mmCIF file of all heavy atoms in Angstrom:
data_model
loop_
_atom_site.group_PDB
_atom_site.id
_atom_site.type_symbol
_atom_site.label_atom_id
_atom_site.label_comp_id
_atom_site.label_asym_id
_atom_site.label_seq_id
_atom_site.Cartn_x
_atom_site.Cartn_y
_atom_site.Cartn_z
ATOM 1 N N THR A 511 -1.174 8.682 -16.307
ATOM 2 C CA THR A 511 -1.197 10.066 -15.574
ATOM 3 C C THR A 511 -0.724 9.769 -14.271
ATOM 4 O O THR A 511 0.157 10.479 -13.672
ATOM 5 C CB THR A 511 -2.489 10.571 -15.589
ATOM 6 O OG1 THR A 511 -2.975 10.701 -17.041
ATOM 7 C CG2 THR A 511 -2.497 11.969 -15.127
ATOM 8 N N CYS A 572 -8.999 17.871 -15.977
ATOM 9 C CA CYS A 572 -7.897 18.745 -16.208
ATOM 10 C C CYS A 572 -7.693 19.504 -14.834
ATOM 11 O O CYS A 572 -6.545 19.669 -14.472
ATOM 12 C CB CYS A 572 -8.252 19.703 -17.335
ATOM 13 S SG CYS A 572 -8.188 18.945 -18.927
ATOM 14 N N VAL A 573 -8.786 19.989 -14.256
ATOM 15 C CA VAL A 573 -8.681 20.754 -13.012
ATOM 16 C C VAL A 573 -7.976 19.862 -11.899
ATOM 17 O O VAL A 573 -6.974 20.390 -11.220
ATOM 18 C CB VAL A 573 -9.994 21.262 -12.549
ATOM 19 C CG1 VAL A 573 -9.925 21.769 -11.088
ATOM 20 C CG2 VAL A 573 -10.572 22.294 -13.432
ATOM 21 N N ILE A 575 -6.018 17.194 -12.400
ATOM 22 C CA ILE A 575 -4.583 17.035 -12.752
ATOM 23 C C ILE A 575 -3.716 18.255 -12.483
ATOM 24 O O ILE A 575 -2.564 18.260 -12.018
ATOM 25 C CB ILE A 575 -4.468 16.558 -14.175
ATOM 26 C CG1 ILE A 575 -5.114 15.081 -14.338
ATOM 27 C CG2 ILE A 575 -3.029 16.399 -14.558
ATOM 28 C CD1 ILE A 575 -5.256 14.698 -15.810
ATOM 29 N N PHE A 576 -4.374 19.426 -12.916
ATOM 30 C CA PHE A 576 -3.561 20.624 -12.757
ATOM 31 C C PHE A 576 -3.249 20.916 -11.296
ATOM 32 O O PHE A 576 -2.069 21.230 -10.983
ATOM 33 C CB PHE A 576 -4.501 21.809 -13.303
ATOM 34 C CG PHE A 576 -3.979 23.205 -13.050
ATOM 35 C CD1 PHE A 576 -2.843 23.632 -13.997
ATOM 36 C CD2 PHE A 576 -4.370 24.048 -12.100
ATOM 37 C CE1 PHE A 576 -2.254 24.878 -13.758
ATOM 38 C CE2 PHE A 576 -3.746 25.282 -11.898
ATOM 39 C CZ PHE A 576 -2.698 25.675 -12.717
ATOM 40 N N ALA A 613 11.363 21.894 -15.755
ATOM 41 C CA ALA A 613 10.649 21.464 -16.970
ATOM 42 C C ALA A 613 9.789 20.271 -16.560
ATOM 43 O O ALA A 613 8.597 20.142 -16.928
ATOM 44 C CB ALA A 613 11.581 21.077 -17.993
ATOM 45 N N LYS A 614 10.365 19.298 -15.763
ATOM 46 C CA LYS A 614 9.687 18.068 -15.474
ATOM 47 C C LYS A 614 8.354 18.429 -14.561
ATOM 48 O O LYS A 614 7.256 17.970 -14.851
ATOM 49 C CB LYS A 614 10.499 17.304 -14.461
ATOM 50 C CG LYS A 614 10.937 15.945 -14.969
ATOM 51 C CD LYS A 614 11.734 15.168 -14.005
ATOM 52 C CE LYS A 614 12.373 14.010 -14.629
ATOM 53 N NZ LYS A 614 13.325 13.392 -13.630
ATOM 54 N N LEU A 615 8.539 19.318 -13.618
ATOM 55 C CA LEU A 615 7.419 19.752 -12.807
ATOM 56 C C LEU A 615 6.412 20.518 -13.537
ATOM 57 O O LEU A 615 5.219 20.531 -13.121
ATOM 58 C CB LEU A 615 7.959 20.510 -11.589
ATOM 59 C CG LEU A 615 8.609 19.775 -10.444
ATOM 60 C CD1 LEU A 615 9.415 20.808 -9.609
ATOM 61 C CD2 LEU A 615 7.682 18.930 -9.679
ATOM 62 N N SER A 616 6.709 21.145 -14.576
ATOM 63 C CA SER A 616 5.758 22.031 -15.181
ATOM 64 C C SER A 616 4.999 21.235 -16.367
ATOM 65 O O SER A 616 3.995 21.909 -16.893
ATOM 66 C CB SER A 616 6.402 23.332 -15.825
ATOM 67 O OG SER A 616 7.464 22.952 -16.712
ATOM 68 N N ILE A 617 5.399 20.124 -16.715
ATOM 69 C CA ILE A 617 4.709 19.417 -17.799
ATOM 70 C C ILE A 617 3.254 19.313 -17.536
ATOM 71 O O ILE A 617 2.277 19.625 -18.348
ATOM 72 C CB ILE A 617 5.409 18.064 -18.194
ATOM 73 C CG1 ILE A 617 6.653 18.334 -19.074
ATOM 74 C CG2 ILE A 617 4.367 17.125 -18.902
ATOM 75 C CD1 ILE A 617 7.211 16.974 -19.544
ATOM 76 N N TYR A 618 2.956 18.682 -16.355
ATOM 77 C CA TYR A 618 1.466 18.387 -16.220
ATOM 78 C C TYR A 618 0.683 19.592 -15.958
ATOM 79 O O TYR A 618 -0.522 19.704 -16.589
ATOM 80 C CB TYR A 618 1.312 17.416 -14.974
ATOM 81 C CG TYR A 618 1.160 16.028 -15.570
ATOM 82 C CD1 TYR A 618 2.203 15.014 -15.530
ATOM 83 C CD2 TYR A 618 0.097 15.600 -16.382
ATOM 84 C CE1 TYR A 618 2.179 13.840 -16.069
ATOM 85 C CE2 TYR A 618 -0.068 14.407 -16.989
ATOM 86 C CZ TYR A 618 0.995 13.437 -16.793
ATOM 87 O OH TYR A 618 0.934 12.161 -17.428
ATOM 88 N N PRO A 619 1.161 20.641 -15.227
ATOM 89 C CA PRO A 619 0.282 21.821 -15.078
ATOM 90 C C PRO A 619 0.115 22.503 -16.462
ATOM 91 O O PRO A 619 -1.043 22.850 -16.814
ATOM 92 C CB PRO A 619 1.158 22.702 -14.228
ATOM 93 C CG PRO A 619 1.844 21.820 -13.368
ATOM 94 C CD PRO A 619 2.175 20.653 -14.180
ATOM 95 N N CYS A 620 1.141 22.523 -17.315
ATOM 96 C CA CYS A 620 0.980 23.121 -18.605
ATOM 97 C C CYS A 620 0.037 22.263 -19.525
ATOM 98 O O CYS A 620 -0.882 22.805 -20.234
ATOM 99 C CB CYS A 620 2.289 23.218 -19.381
ATOM 100 S SG CYS A 620 3.464 24.461 -18.639
ATOM 101 N N VAL A 621 0.214 20.970 -19.598
ATOM 102 C CA VAL A 621 -0.690 20.153 -20.482
ATOM 103 C C VAL A 621 -2.089 20.267 -20.141
ATOM 104 O O VAL A 621 -3.009 20.474 -20.909
ATOM 105 C CB VAL A 621 -0.148 18.741 -20.433
ATOM 106 C CG1 VAL A 621 -1.202 17.781 -21.119
ATOM 107 C CG2 VAL A 621 1.136 18.510 -21.088
ATOM 108 N N SER A 622 -2.392 20.194 -18.746
ATOM 109 C CA SER A 622 -3.636 20.074 -18.322
ATOM 110 C C SER A 622 -4.371 21.563 -18.485
ATOM 111 O O SER A 622 -5.507 21.666 -18.964
ATOM 112 C CB SER A 622 -3.836 19.727 -16.753
ATOM 113 O OG SER A 622 -3.062 20.664 -15.940
ATOM 114 N N LEU A 623 -3.604 22.639 -18.284
ATOM 115 C CA LEU A 623 -4.149 23.966 -18.469
ATOM 116 C C LEU A 623 -4.464 24.147 -19.934
ATOM 117 O O LEU A 623 -5.585 24.692 -20.319
ATOM 118 C CB LEU A 623 -3.083 24.918 -18.028
ATOM 119 C CG LEU A 623 -3.731 26.391 -17.674
ATOM 120 C CD1 LEU A 623 -4.601 26.068 -16.491
ATOM 121 C CD2 LEU A 623 -2.580 27.310 -17.246
ATOM 122 N N SER A 624 -3.589 23.749 -20.835
ATOM 123 C CA SER A 624 -3.784 23.942 -22.295
ATOM 124 C C SER A 624 -5.008 23.140 -22.753
ATOM 125 O O SER A 624 -5.855 23.550 -23.588
ATOM 126 C CB SER A 624 -2.652 23.752 -23.140
ATOM 127 O OG SER A 624 -2.030 22.603 -22.774
ATOM 128 N N THR A 625 -5.080 21.974 -22.221
ATOM 129 C CA THR A 625 -6.284 21.046 -22.512
ATOM 130 C C THR A 625 -7.527 21.679 -22.123
ATOM 131 O O THR A 625 -8.539 21.780 -22.802
ATOM 132 C CB THR A 625 -6.097 19.663 -21.928
ATOM 133 O OG1 THR A 625 -4.909 19.144 -22.089
ATOM 134 C CG2 THR A 625 -7.064 18.673 -22.524
ATOM 135 N N PHE A 626 -7.567 22.310 -20.841
ATOM 136 C CA PHE A 626 -8.697 22.995 -20.388
ATOM 137 C C PHE A 626 -9.174 24.018 -21.373
ATOM 138 O O PHE A 626 -10.365 24.121 -21.724
ATOM 139 C CB PHE A 626 -8.443 23.507 -18.989
ATOM 140 C CG PHE A 626 -9.627 24.046 -18.292
ATOM 141 C CD1 PHE A 626 -10.425 23.346 -17.538
ATOM 142 C CD2 PHE A 626 -9.911 25.406 -18.407
ATOM 143 C CE1 PHE A 626 -11.571 23.782 -16.871
ATOM 144 C CE2 PHE A 626 -11.047 25.951 -17.732
ATOM 145 C CZ PHE A 626 -11.799 25.109 -16.980
ATOM 146 N N PHE A 627 -8.220 24.867 -21.773
ATOM 147 C CA PHE A 627 -8.637 25.946 -22.724
ATOM 148 C C PHE A 627 -9.078 25.458 -24.131
ATOM 149 O O PHE A 627 -9.910 25.994 -24.700
ATOM 150 C CB PHE A 627 -7.542 27.019 -22.810
ATOM 151 C CG PHE A 627 -7.468 27.771 -21.577
ATOM 152 C CD1 PHE A 627 -6.297 27.789 -20.800
ATOM 153 C CD2 PHE A 627 -8.515 28.481 -21.129
ATOM 154 C CE1 PHE A 627 -6.238 28.573 -19.594
ATOM 155 C CE2 PHE A 627 -8.416 29.305 -19.992
ATOM 156 C CZ PHE A 627 -7.381 29.266 -19.206
ATOM 157 N N LEU A 628 -8.414 24.325 -24.624
ATOM 158 C CA LEU A 628 -8.796 23.701 -25.816
ATOM 159 C C LEU A 628 -10.275 23.315 -25.786
ATOM 160 O O LEU A 628 -11.003 23.491 -26.792
ATOM 161 C CB LEU A 628 -7.879 22.540 -26.144
ATOM 162 C CG LEU A 628 -6.581 22.749 -26.916
ATOM 163 C CD1 LEU A 628 -5.912 21.421 -27.141
ATOM 164 C CD2 LEU A 628 -6.864 23.403 -28.273
ATOM 165 N N THR A 629 -10.688 22.687 -24.599
ATOM 166 C CA THR A 629 -11.976 22.260 -24.594
ATOM 167 C C THR A 629 -13.016 23.365 -24.599
ATOM 168 O O THR A 629 -14.071 23.268 -25.006
ATOM 169 C CB THR A 629 -12.288 21.422 -23.327
ATOM 170 O OG1 THR A 629 -11.950 22.281 -22.188
ATOM 171 C CG2 THR A 629 -11.575 20.221 -23.223
ATOM 172 N N PHE A 635 -13.678 18.465 -29.345
ATOM 173 C CA PHE A 635 -12.796 17.854 -28.472
ATOM 174 C C PHE A 635 -13.551 16.630 -27.819
ATOM 175 O O PHE A 635 -14.739 16.901 -27.265
ATOM 176 C CB PHE A 635 -12.240 18.780 -27.461
ATOM 177 C CG PHE A 635 -11.016 18.306 -26.822
ATOM 178 C CD1 PHE A 635 -9.834 18.690 -27.393
ATOM 179 C CD2 PHE A 635 -10.929 17.554 -25.689
ATOM 180 C CE1 PHE A 635 -8.620 18.275 -26.901
ATOM 181 C CE2 PHE A 635 -9.715 17.068 -25.132
ATOM 182 C CZ PHE A 635 -8.518 17.512 -25.778
ATOM 183 N N PHE A 640 -8.727 13.108 -25.521
ATOM 184 C CA PHE A 640 -8.133 13.293 -24.152
ATOM 185 C C PHE A 640 -7.254 12.166 -23.630
ATOM 186 O O PHE A 640 -6.154 12.463 -23.243
ATOM 187 C CB PHE A 640 -9.204 13.705 -23.109
ATOM 188 C CG PHE A 640 -8.835 13.865 -21.846
ATOM 189 C CD1 PHE A 640 -8.053 14.926 -21.431
ATOM 190 C CD2 PHE A 640 -9.167 12.987 -20.786
ATOM 191 C CE1 PHE A 640 -7.687 15.222 -20.121
ATOM 192 C CE2 PHE A 640 -8.765 13.241 -19.486
ATOM 193 C CZ PHE A 640 -8.022 14.312 -19.130
ATOM 194 N N MET A 643 -4.168 11.866 -25.635
ATOM 195 C CA MET A 643 -3.176 12.968 -25.159
ATOM 196 C C MET A 643 -2.449 12.452 -23.916
ATOM 197 O O MET A 643 -1.253 12.576 -23.753
ATOM 198 C CB MET A 643 -3.884 14.207 -24.870
ATOM 199 C CG MET A 643 -4.105 15.059 -26.101
ATOM 200 S SD MET A 643 -4.886 16.654 -25.581
ATOM 201 C CE MET A 643 -3.572 17.415 -24.693
ATOM 202 N N GLU A 644 -3.280 11.981 -22.950
ATOM 203 C CA GLU A 644 -2.650 11.304 -21.695
ATOM 204 C C GLU A 644 -1.513 10.266 -22.015
ATOM 205 O O GLU A 644 -0.481 10.326 -21.303
ATOM 206 C CB GLU A 644 -3.649 10.648 -20.713
ATOM 207 C CG GLU A 644 -4.557 11.796 -20.024
ATOM 208 C CD GLU A 644 -5.464 11.028 -19.050
ATOM 209 O OE1 GLU A 644 -6.175 10.076 -19.479
ATOM 210 O OE2 GLU A 644 -5.484 11.372 -17.839
ATOM 211 N N ILE A 645 -1.930 9.463 -22.967
ATOM 212 C CA ILE A 645 -0.830 8.405 -23.222
ATOM 213 C C ILE A 645 0.365 8.947 -24.026
ATOM 214 O O ILE A 645 1.411 8.258 -23.899
ATOM 215 C CB ILE A 645 -1.667 7.252 -24.107
ATOM 216 C CG1 ILE A 645 -2.756 6.549 -23.210
ATOM 217 C CG2 ILE A 645 -0.622 6.235 -24.624
ATOM 218 C CD1 ILE A 645 -3.575 5.584 -23.999
ATOM 219 N N ILE A 646 0.250 10.114 -24.720
ATOM 220 C CA ILE A 646 1.352 10.604 -25.404
ATOM 221 C C ILE A 646 2.294 11.323 -24.505
ATOM 222 O O ILE A 646 3.534 11.370 -24.794
ATOM 223 C CB ILE A 646 0.879 11.642 -26.533
ATOM 224 C CG1 ILE A 646 0.169 10.725 -27.587
ATOM 225 C CG2 ILE A 646 2.061 12.332 -27.151
ATOM 226 C CD1 ILE A 646 -0.520 11.561 -28.568
ATOM 227 N N VAL A 647 1.829 11.769 -23.312
ATOM 228 C CA VAL A 647 2.660 12.617 -22.381
ATOM 229 C C VAL A 647 4.075 11.993 -22.089
ATOM 230 O O VAL A 647 4.986 12.597 -22.026
ATOM 231 C CB VAL A 647 1.995 12.983 -21.126
ATOM 232 C CG1 VAL A 647 2.832 13.716 -20.046
ATOM 233 C CG2 VAL A 647 0.706 13.857 -21.508
ATOM 234 N N PRO A 648 4.230 10.646 -21.710
ATOM 235 C CA PRO A 648 5.327 9.986 -21.475
ATOM 236 C C PRO A 648 6.515 10.320 -22.512
ATOM 237 O O PRO A 648 7.773 10.463 -22.114
ATOM 238 C CB PRO A 648 5.121 8.432 -21.488
ATOM 239 C CG PRO A 648 3.660 8.421 -21.379
ATOM 240 C CD PRO A 648 3.061 9.665 -21.750
ATOM 241 N N ALA A 650 6.920 13.012 -24.049
ATOM 242 C CA ALA A 650 7.355 14.390 -23.750
ATOM 243 C C ALA A 650 8.423 14.175 -22.564
ATOM 244 O O ALA A 650 9.466 14.922 -22.721
ATOM 245 C CB ALA A 650 6.200 15.121 -23.128
ATOM 246 N N PHE A 651 8.226 13.237 -21.578
ATOM 247 C CA PHE A 651 9.217 13.109 -20.552
ATOM 248 C C PHE A 651 10.526 12.488 -21.141
ATOM 249 O O PHE A 651 11.604 12.918 -20.794
ATOM 250 C CB PHE A 651 8.664 12.185 -19.499
ATOM 251 C CG PHE A 651 7.849 12.877 -18.450
ATOM 252 C CD1 PHE A 651 6.472 12.900 -18.629
ATOM 253 C CD2 PHE A 651 8.505 13.547 -17.398
ATOM 254 C CE1 PHE A 651 5.732 13.633 -17.756
ATOM 255 C CE2 PHE A 651 7.636 14.125 -16.374
ATOM 256 C CZ PHE A 651 6.303 14.178 -16.611
#
Side-chain angles (χ1 to χ4, degrees):
Chain A
T511 307
C572 289
V573 169
I575 296 171
F576 175 75
K614 246 184 193 171
L615 284 166
S616 57
I617 280 188
Y618 266 107
C620 290
V621 168
S622 56
L623 205 64
S624 49
T625 313
F626 187 87
F627 287 117
L628 270 182
T629 54
F635 207 85
F640 174 66
M643 277 184 68
E644 281 187 309
I645 295 176
I646 289 168
V647 174
F651 276 93

